[in-house]
Coordinates of all heavy atoms in Angstrom, one line a residue:
L1 N 17.0 -9.9 -24.1 CA 17.4 -8.8 -24.9 C 18.6 -7.9 -24.3 O 18.9 -6.9 -24.8 CB 16.2 -7.7 -24.9 CG 15.0 -8.4 -25.6 CD1 13.7 -7.3 -25.5 CD2 15.1 -8.7 -27.1
N2 N 19.3 -8.5 -23.2 CA 20.5 -7.9 -22.6 C 20.1 -6.5 -22.1 O 20.9 -5.5 -22.3 CB 21.6 -7.9 -23.6 CG 22.1 -9.2 -23.9 OD1 22.2 -10.1 -23.0 ND2 22.5 -9.4 -25.2
I3 N 18.9 -6.3 -21.4 CA 18.6 -5.1 -20.8 C 18.8 -5.3 -19.3 O 18.3 -6.3 -18.7 CB 17.0 -4.7 -21.1 CG1 16.8 -4.5 -22.6 CG2 16.6 -3.5 -20.3 CD1 15.4 -4.4 -23.0
D4 N 19.5 -4.4 -18.7 CA 19.7 -4.3 -17.2 C 18.4 -3.7 -16.7 O 18.2 -2.4 -16.7 CB 20.9 -3.6 -16.9 CG 21.3 -3.5 -15.4 OD1 20.4 -3.9 -14.6 OD2 22.4 -3.2 -15.1
V5 N 17.6 -4.4 -15.9 CA 16.4 -3.9 -15.3 C 16.6 -2.9 -14.3 O 15.9 -1.8 -14.2 CB 15.6 -5.1 -14.6 CG1 14.4 -4.6 -13.9 CG2 15.1 -6.1 -15.7
S6 N 17.8 -3.0 -13.6 CA 18.1 -2.0 -12.5 C 18.4 -0.6 -13.0 O 18.4 0.4 -12.3 CB 19.3 -2.5 -11.6 OG 20.4 -2.5 -12.4
K7 N 18.7 -0.6 -14.4 CA 19.0 0.8 -15.0 C 18.1 1.1 -16.0 O 18.3 2.1 -16.8 CB 20.5 0.6 -15.6 CG 21.6 0.4 -14.7 CD 22.9 0.3 -15.4 CE 24.1 0.0 -14.3 NZ 25.2 -0.5 -14.9
S8 N 16.9 0.5 -16.0 CA 15.9 0.7 -17.0 C 14.9 1.8 -16.7 O 14.8 2.2 -15.5 CB 15.2 -0.5 -17.4 OG 14.4 -1.0 -16.3
R9 N 14.1 2.3 -17.7 CA 13.1 3.2 -17.4 C 11.8 2.4 -17.8 O 11.8 1.7 -18.7 CB 13.2 4.4 -18.3 CG 14.3 5.4 -18.1 CD 14.9 6.2 -19.3 NE 15.2 5.3 -20.4 CZ 15.6 5.8 -21.6 NH1 15.6 7.0 -21.9 NH2 15.9 4.9 -22.6
V10 N 10.8 2.9 -17.0 CA 9.5 2.2 -17.2 C 8.4 3.2 -17.3 O 8.3 4.2 -16.5 CB 9.2 1.3 -15.8 CG1 8.0 0.5 -16.0 CG2 10.3 0.3 -15.7
V11 N 7.4 2.9 -18.2 CA 6.2 3.8 -18.3 C 5.0 2.9 -18.2 O 4.9 1.8 -18.7 CB 6.2 4.4 -19.8 CG1 5.0 5.1 -20.2 CG2 7.4 5.4 -19.9
V12 N 4.0 3.3 -17.2 CA 2.9 2.5 -16.9 C 1.6 3.1 -17.2 O 1.4 4.3 -16.8 CB 2.9 2.1 -15.4 CG1 1.9 1.2 -15.0 CG2 4.3 1.5 -15.1
Q13 N 0.8 2.5 -17.9 CA -0.6 2.9 -18.1 C -1.6 2.1 -17.3 O -1.6 0.9 -17.4 CB -1.1 2.9 -19.6 CG -2.5 3.6 -19.9 CD -3.2 3.1 -21.0 OE1 -3.1 1.9 -21.4 NE2 -3.9 4.0 -21.7
G14 N -2.3 2.8 -16.4 CA -3.2 2.1 -15.5 C -2.4 1.9 -14.2 O -1.3 1.3 -14.3
F15 N -2.9 2.4 -13.0 CA -2.1 2.3 -11.8 C -2.9 1.6 -10.7 O -2.9 2.0 -9.6 CB -1.6 3.6 -11.4 CG -0.2 3.7 -11.0 CD1 0.9 3.5 -11.9 CD2 0.1 3.7 -9.6 CE1 2.2 3.5 -11.4 CE2 1.5 3.7 -9.1 CZ 2.4 3.6 -10.1
G16 N -3.7 0.6 -11.2 CA -4.6 -0.1 -10.1 C -3.7 -1.3 -9.6 O -2.4 -1.2 -9.6
N17 N -4.3 -2.5 -9.4 CA -3.6 -3.6 -8.7 C -2.4 -4.0 -9.7 O -1.4 -4.3 -9.2 CB -4.6 -4.8 -8.7 CG -5.2 -4.7 -7.3 OD1 -4.9 -4.0 -6.5 ND2 -6.3 -5.7 -7.2
V18 N -2.7 -4.1 -11.0 CA -1.7 -4.7 -11.9 C -0.5 -3.7 -12.2 O 0.6 -4.0 -11.9 CB -2.4 -5.0 -13.3 CG1 -1.3 -5.6 -14.2 CG2 -3.5 -6.0 -13.0
G19 N -0.9 -2.4 -12.7 CA 0.1 -1.4 -13.0 C 0.9 -0.9 -11.8 O 2.0 -0.8 -11.8
G20 N 0.1 -0.8 -10.7 CA 0.8 -0.3 -9.5 C 1.7 -1.3 -8.9 O 2.9 -1.0 -8.5
T21 N 1.3 -2.6 -8.8 CA 2.2 -3.5 -8.3 C 3.5 -3.8 -9.2 O 4.6 -3.8 -8.7 CB 1.4 -5.0 -8.2 OG1 0.3 -4.8 -7.3 CG2 2.4 -6.0 -7.7
A22 N 3.3 -3.8 -10.5 CA 4.3 -4.0 -11.4 C 5.3 -2.8 -11.2 O 6.5 -2.9 -11.2 CB 3.9 -4.1 -12.9
A23 N 4.8 -1.5 -11.2 CA 5.6 -0.3 -11.0 C 6.5 -0.4 -9.7 O 7.7 -0.1 -9.7 CB 4.7 0.9 -11.0
R24 N 5.8 -0.8 -8.6 CA 6.5 -1.0 -7.3 C 7.6 -2.0 -7.4 O 8.7 -1.6 -6.9 CB 5.5 -1.4 -6.3 CG 6.1 -1.6 -4.9 CD 5.2 -1.9 -3.8 NE 4.5 -3.1 -4.0 CZ 4.9 -4.4 -3.8 NH1 6.1 -4.5 -3.4 NH2 4.2 -5.5 -4.0
L25 N 7.4 -3.1 -8.1 CA 8.5 -4.2 -8.1 C 9.7 -3.7 -9.0 O 10.8 -3.9 -8.7 CB 7.8 -5.5 -8.7 CG 6.9 -6.2 -7.7 CD1 6.1 -7.3 -8.4 CD2 7.6 -6.7 -6.6
F26 N 9.3 -2.9 -10.1 CA 10.3 -2.3 -11.0 C 11.2 -1.3 -10.1 O 12.4 -1.3 -10.2 CB 9.8 -1.7 -12.2 CG 9.6 -2.6 -13.4 CD1 8.4 -2.9 -13.8 CD2 10.8 -3.0 -14.1 CE1 8.2 -3.8 -14.9 CE2 10.6 -3.7 -15.3 CZ 9.4 -4.2 -15.7
H27 N 10.4 -0.5 -9.4 CA 11.1 0.6 -8.5 C 12.0 -0.2 -7.5 O 13.1 0.4 -7.4 CB 9.9 1.3 -7.9 CG 10.3 2.5 -7.0 ND1 10.9 3.7 -7.5 CD2 10.3 2.6 -5.6 CE1 11.2 4.4 -6.4 NE2 10.8 3.8 -5.3
E28 N 11.5 -1.1 -6.9 CA 12.3 -1.7 -5.8 C 13.5 -2.6 -6.5 O 14.5 -2.8 -5.7 CB 11.5 -2.8 -5.0 CG 10.4 -2.1 -4.2 CD 9.4 -2.9 -3.5 OE1 9.4 -4.2 -3.8 OE2 8.5 -2.5 -2.7
A29 N 13.4 -2.8 -7.8 CA 14.5 -3.5 -8.5 C 15.6 -2.5 -9.0 O 16.6 -2.8 -9.7 CB 14.0 -4.3 -9.6
G30 N 15.3 -1.1 -8.7 CA 16.3 -0.1 -9.1 C 15.9 0.7 -10.3 O 16.5 1.6 -10.7
A31 N 14.8 0.2 -11.1 CA 14.3 0.9 -12.3 C 13.7 2.2 -11.9 O 13.2 2.4 -10.8 CB 13.3 0.0 -13.1
K32 N 13.7 3.1 -13.0 CA 13.0 4.4 -12.8 C 11.7 4.3 -13.5 O 11.6 4.1 -14.8 CB 13.8 5.5 -13.5 CG 15.1 5.9 -12.7 CD 15.7 7.2 -13.4 CE 17.0 7.6 -12.7 NZ 17.7 8.6 -13.6
V33 N 10.6 4.6 -12.7 CA 9.2 4.7 -13.4 C 9.1 6.1 -13.7 O 8.9 7.0 -12.8 CB 8.1 4.2 -12.4 CG1 6.7 4.4 -13.0 CG2 8.4 2.7 -12.0
I34 N 9.2 6.5 -15.0 CA 9.3 7.9 -15.5 C 7.9 8.5 -15.8 O 7.8 9.6 -15.8 CB 10.3 8.0 -16.6 CG1 9.8 7.3 -17.9 CG2 11.6 7.7 -16.2 CD1 10.6 7.7 -19.1
A35 N 6.9 7.7 -15.9 CA 5.6 8.2 -16.2 C 4.5 7.2 -15.9 O 4.8 6.0 -16.0 CB 5.4 8.6 -17.7
A36 N 3.3 7.7 -15.5 CA 2.2 7.0 -15.1 C 0.9 7.6 -15.7 O 0.8 8.8 -15.7 CB 2.1 6.7 -13.7
Q37 N 0.0 6.9 -16.2 CA -1.2 7.4 -16.8 C -2.4 6.5 -16.4 O -2.3 5.4 -16.3 CB -1.2 7.4 -18.3 CG -2.4 7.9 -19.0 CD -2.3 7.9 -20.6 OE1 -2.6 6.9 -21.1 NE2 -1.8 8.9 -21.2
D38 N -3.5 7.2 -16.1 CA -4.9 6.5 -15.9 C -6.0 7.5 -16.3 O -5.7 8.6 -16.9 CB -4.9 5.9 -14.5 CG -5.1 7.0 -13.4 OD1 -5.2 8.2 -13.8 OD2 -5.0 6.7 -12.2
H39 N -7.2 7.1 -16.0 CA -8.3 8.0 -16.4 C -8.4 9.4 -15.8 O -9.0 10.2 -16.3 CB -9.7 7.2 -16.1 CG -9.9 7.0 -14.6 ND1 -9.2 6.1 -14.0 CD2 -10.7 7.6 -13.8 CE1 -9.7 6.1 -12.6 NE2 -10.6 7.1 -12.6
T40 N -7.4 9.5 -14.7 CA -7.5 10.9 -14.0 C -6.4 11.8 -14.6 O -6.4 13.0 -14.2 CB -7.3 10.7 -12.5 OG1 -6.0 10.2 -12.3 CG2 -8.4 9.7 -11.9
G41 N -5.5 11.3 -15.4 CA -4.5 12.1 -16.0 C -3.2 11.4 -16.2 O -3.1 10.2 -16.0
T42 N -2.1 12.1 -16.6 CA -0.8 11.6 -16.9 C 0.2 12.4 -16.0 O 0.2 13.6 -16.0 CB -0.5 11.7 -18.3 OG1 -1.5 11.0 -19.1 CG2 0.8 11.0 -18.6
V43 N 1.1 11.7 -15.4 CA 2.2 12.4 -14.7 C 3.6 11.9 -15.2 O 3.7 10.6 -15.5 CB 2.1 12.2 -13.1 CG1 1.1 13.0 -12.6 CG2 2.1 10.7 -12.7
H44 N 4.5 12.8 -15.2 CA 5.9 12.4 -15.8 C 7.0 13.1 -15.0 O 6.9 14.2 -14.5 CB 5.9 13.0 -17.2 CG 7.3 12.8 -17.9 ND1 8.0 13.9 -18.5 CD2 8.0 11.7 -18.1 CE1 9.1 13.5 -18.9 NE2 9.1 12.1 -18.8
N45 N 8.0 12.3 -14.7 CA 9.2 12.9 -14.0 C 10.4 12.1 -14.7 O 10.6 10.9 -14.3 CB 9.1 12.6 -12.5 CG 10.3 13.1 -11.8 OD1 11.3 13.5 -12.4 ND2 10.1 13.4 -10.5
P46 N 11.2 12.7 -15.5 CA 12.3 11.9 -16.1 C 13.3 11.3 -15.1 O 14.1 10.4 -15.4 CB 13.0 13.0 -17.0 CG 12.4 14.3 -16.5 CD 11.1 14.0 -15.9
E47 N 13.4 11.9 -13.9 CA 14.3 11.3 -12.8 C 13.7 10.2 -12.1 O 14.2 9.6 -11.2 CB 14.6 12.5 -11.9 CG 15.3 13.7 -12.5 CD 16.6 13.2 -13.3 OE1 17.4 12.5 -12.7 OE2 16.7 13.6 -14.4
G48 N 12.4 9.9 -12.5 CA 11.8 8.8 -11.8 C 10.7 9.2 -10.7 O 11.0 10.1 -9.9

């Protein structure tokens, strides 16, 4: 789709093994994880 992962924004629901690991790998690739949600609540930071 011609998306540059290093400049992308990511939103993750569930932050266990799957969501947490994916979020970390995106983060390490330069992407901004701007929001995360699980059964305890939702957090958002537009700057990542």
Side-chain angles (χ1 to χ4, degrees):
L1 301 172
N2 293 318
I3 295 171
D4 185 344
V5 172
S6 66
K7 295 176 180 165
S8 65
R9 296 158 297 180
V10 184
V11 168
V12 183
Q13 187 203 32
F15 223 75
N17 273 352
V18 181
T21 299
R24 178 177 62 76
L25 292 168
F26 270 109
H27 180 71
E28 289 170 359
K32 286 181 182 175
V33 178
I34 60 170
Q37 181 184 84
D38 64 13
H39 65 282
T40 64
T42 306
V43 290
H44 174 236
N45 184 342
E47 298 306 309

